[in-house]
Amino acid sequence: SYATGEGVTQNNLRAYVWFSVAAAQGDRQAKLARETAYSQLTAQGLEQAQALATVALNQTLKIAANSLGIAVYQLLNDTLM
């Protein structure tokens, strides 16, 4: 975890990014953990983290939309066959 440094080098900026992605998907614990990471960032670090979180969330949404599209296509294809 980037927040604790377990398995990776501790990095509050990266922790903020990934907690933001999880929080945007409704994870309440991630929202609380994001606040802890937030409190450890400088103003410049927070600005960078927020920009990266936006990019990461957009990529996550694109992947989810693509996966949903494939699932719907397969469901329709199976139904029509």
Side-chain angles (χ1 to χ4, degrees), residues 21-37:
V21 171
Q25 296 177 36
D27 187 318
R28 291 181 182 170
Q29 289 181 335
K31 187 174 181 178
L32 295 172
R34 180 183 60 188
E35 296 304 318
T36 300

Side-chain angles (χ1 to χ4, degrees), residues 1-80:
S1 158
Y2 287 115
T4 61
E6 293 178 41
V8 295
T9 301
Q10 195 272 340
N11 185 315
N12 288 311
L13 189 145
R14 289 184 179 190
Y16 181 93
V17 170
W18 292 114
F19 286 139
S20 293
V21 171
Q25 296 177 36
D27 187 318
R28 291 181 182 170
Q29 289 181 335
K31 187 174 181 178
L32 295 172
R34 180 183 60 188
E35 296 304 318
T36 300
Y38 167 91
S39 70
Q40 302 295 317
L41 295 170
T42 64
Q44 182 180 6
L46 178 59
E47 186 177 324
Q48 185 180 8
Q50 289 172 331
L52 289 170
T54 298
V55 170
L57 183 57
N58 286 337
Q59 289 300 316
T60 300
L61 292 174
K62 286 179 186 177
I63 291 167
N66 187 45
S67 295
L68 180 60
I70 291 169
V72 168
Y73 173 81
Q74 290 173 338
L75 178 63
L76 288 174
N77 194 34
D78 290 346
T79 302
L80 296 174

